[in-house]
């Protein structure tokens, strides 16, 4: 079955759909995006994702290309046309097409792309044995709260991790504190039933899975500390994990070659994985 994407007004075979070369997304990464998990035909926390998309658009002065309701209707249609049940949906909005110039004129029509990706089973992607991460300098721009399509620093960090047989890179600020992962939020368990993550500010993306994890932790009487932690604190933590719309709550058992805790998935992380999977179901 061909994969169908929505591209600027029409549904097209993904391999035949095209964007103009003077789209500012292509030339300047002048745009924003969302990745939303789909499980059992339902887009997880869709409203929160669209709220964040609205915020990203507002922060860089791009107007919605159509109403929020119309975007939701297209999401549903992409899911229907591709017969997706498990996977994720990608939404990208760029400032649009105009003659190449760094500053943008007013009144350009924004570009909109929506397409989906199938995965066999969402639950299976929360790996049972835990993953490895490396740490590397956070060389991104100063507005990581905007979900910008300008991802070069993250591409380099993630590739560096993969070359070291790790699945994620934790990004370190000048003081050696972990801001977040290249494409996820970073967490440690300093002691059982206590979880710690960087507070929301311009150094991190306010993850939707992060937000949901905080709510679920509170329901389970797990204490949430929103305070930066250093890479040394992370290596000495009892447990570590990351959160994202594609990996959910993902346990981490090794950071820069140091085993975390006893190298097994700890009880606090297990509780949160179960809570998140139950929430999705
Ligand atoms: N990335 N931090 C960064 C830098 C991210 O790119 C992401 C998500 C997150 C987690 O946010 P959320 O829980 O809303 O997915 C944190 C997505 C999955 C991506 O770019 O593919």
């Amino acid at each position: 079955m061909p994969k169908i994407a929505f591209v600027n007004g029409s549904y097209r075979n993904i391999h035949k759909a095209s964007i103009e070369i003077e789209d500012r997304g292509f030339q300047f990464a002048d745009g924003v995006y969302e990745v939303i998990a789909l499980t059992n035909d339902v887009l997880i926390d869709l409203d929160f994702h669209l709220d964040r998309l609205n915020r990203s658009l507002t922060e860089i002065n791009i107007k919605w290309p159509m109403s929020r309701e119309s975007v939701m209707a297209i999401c549903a249609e992409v899911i229907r046309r591709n017969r997706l049940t498990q996977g994720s949906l990608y939404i990208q909005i760029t400032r649009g097409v105009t003659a190449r110039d760094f500053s943008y004129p007013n009144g350009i029509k924004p570009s909109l792309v929506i397409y989906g990706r199938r995965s066999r089973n969402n639950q299976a992607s929360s790996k049972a044995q835990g993953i490895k991460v490396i740490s590397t300098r956070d060389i991104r721009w100063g507005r990581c709260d905007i979900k910008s399509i300008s991802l070069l620093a993250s591409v380099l960090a993630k590739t560096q991790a993969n070359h070291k047989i790790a699945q994620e890179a934790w990004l370190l600020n000048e003081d050696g504190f972990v801001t977040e992962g290249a494409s996820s939020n970073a967490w440690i368990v300093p002691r059982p039933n206590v979880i710690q993550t960087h507070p929301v500010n311009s150094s991190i993306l306010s993850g939707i899975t992060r937000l949901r994890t905080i709510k679920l932790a509170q329901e389970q009487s797990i204490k949430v500390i929103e305070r930066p932690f250093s890479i040394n604190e992370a290596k000495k933590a009892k447990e570590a994990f990351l959160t994202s719309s594609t990996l959910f709550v993902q346990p981490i058992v090794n950071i820069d070659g140091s085993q975390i805790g006893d190298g097994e998935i700890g009880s606090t992380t297990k509780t949160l994985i179960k809570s998140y999977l139950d929430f999705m179901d």
Side-chain angles (χ1 to χ4, degrees):
M1 198 177 90
K3 289 186 191 154
I4 307 295
F6 177 89
V7 181
N8 286 333
S10 49
Y11 294 91
R12 307 285 301 274
N13 181 319
I14 201 167
H15 299 297
K16 298 198 175 126
S18 60
I19 298 285
E20 288 198 32
I21 59 171
E22 286 200 316
D23 190 291
R24 292 183 62 92
F26 177 64
Q27 294 191 333
F28 297 109
D30 185 357
V32 295
Y33 76 108
E34 282 297 325
V35 176
I36 311 172
L38 176 78
T39 190
N40 305 328
D41 297 328
V42 176
L43 287 166
I44 303 298
D45 280 329
L46 175 62
D47 269 344
F48 288 158
H49 281 277
L50 294 181
D51 288 349
R52 186 173 64 187
L53 181 59
N54 183 51
R55 181 177 183 281
S56 296
L57 288 168
T58 308
E59 289 297 311
I60 64 168
N61 192 28
I62 295 180
K63 294 210 164 25
W64 282 78
M66 57 182 68
S67 70
R68 180 169 165 143
E69 291 68 34
S70 303
V71 169
M72 283 165 76
I74 293 167
C75 290
E77 185 61 12
V78 167
I79 291 168
R80 193 189 68 77
R81 288 189 187 222
N82 290 280
R83 293 193 210 131
L84 290 174
T85 52
Q86 307 284 343
S88 58
L89 215 66
Y90 180 84
I91 306 176
Q92 178 173 307
I93 299 177
T94 72
R95 198 174 303 279
V97 178
T98 181
R100 188 177 183 279
D101 188 353
F102 279 77
S103 67
Y104 57 87
N106 287 325
I108 320 170
K109 191 168 177 288
S111 299
L112 171 64
V113 170
I114 302 180
Y115 73 105
R117 178 185 270 193
R118 191 181 310 279
S119 73
R120 259 174 296 128
N121 182 341
N122 271 344
Q123 299 210 7
S125 60
S126 253
K127 287 198 184 60
Q129 71 277 35
I131 61 163
K132 294 181 182 178
V133 305
I134 60 148
S135 61
T136 187
R137 268 297 297 276
D138 192 345
I139 57 166
R140 299 173 304 163
W141 71 326
R143 290 300 308 273
C144 300
D145 54 313
I146 298 171
K147 199 158 171 61
S148 157
I149 57 171
S150 172
L151 292 170
L152 184 55
S154 312
V155 165
L156 297 177
K158 188 83 113 184
T159 307
Q160 193 186 332
N162 291 166
H163 286 164
K164 293 184 178 166
I165 325 292
Q167 286 74 39
E168 177 60 300
W170 275 9
L171 307 176
L172 304 184
N173 68 16
E174 289 166 350
D175 302 319
F177 285 89
V178 177
T179 50
E180 60 180 334
S183 64
S184 58
N185 289 115
W187 299 77
I188 56 170
V189 179
R191 49 190 187 278
N193 283 319
V194 178
I195 58 176
Q196 184 175 346
T197 192
H198 195 287
V200 168
N201 60 21
S202 57
S203 302
I204 71 159
L205 182 77
S206 176
I208 305 302
T209 324
R210 175 189 182 283
L211 189 67
R212 179 59 64 190
T213 300
I214 290 175
K215 289 182 198 295
L216 294 170
Q218 285 162 347
E219 281 168 26
Q220 297 289 332
S221 304
I222 294 173
K223 185 174 175 200
V224 180
I225 302 174
E226 293 183 79
R227 192 174 64 218
F229 55 84
S230 69
I231 190 66
N232 289 333
E233 284 176 89
K235 286 177 188 169
K236 286 188 208 137
K238 296 266 176 284
E239 305 170 30
F241 62 94
L242 61 78
T243 54
S244 79
S245 296
T246 43
L247 291 174
F248 318 127
V249 177
Q250 175 69 62
I252 292 167
V253 291
N254 189 295
I255 302 175
D256 287 336
S258 299
Q259 178 178 296
I260 303 306
D262 60 6
E264 302 289 322
I265 304 169
S267 58
T268 306
T269 308
K270 271 189 188 152
T271 303
L272 291 170
I273 293 173
K274 183 171 182 315
S275 302
Y276 197 80
L277 295 178
D278 287 349
F279 157 72
M280 286 203 303
D281 275 347

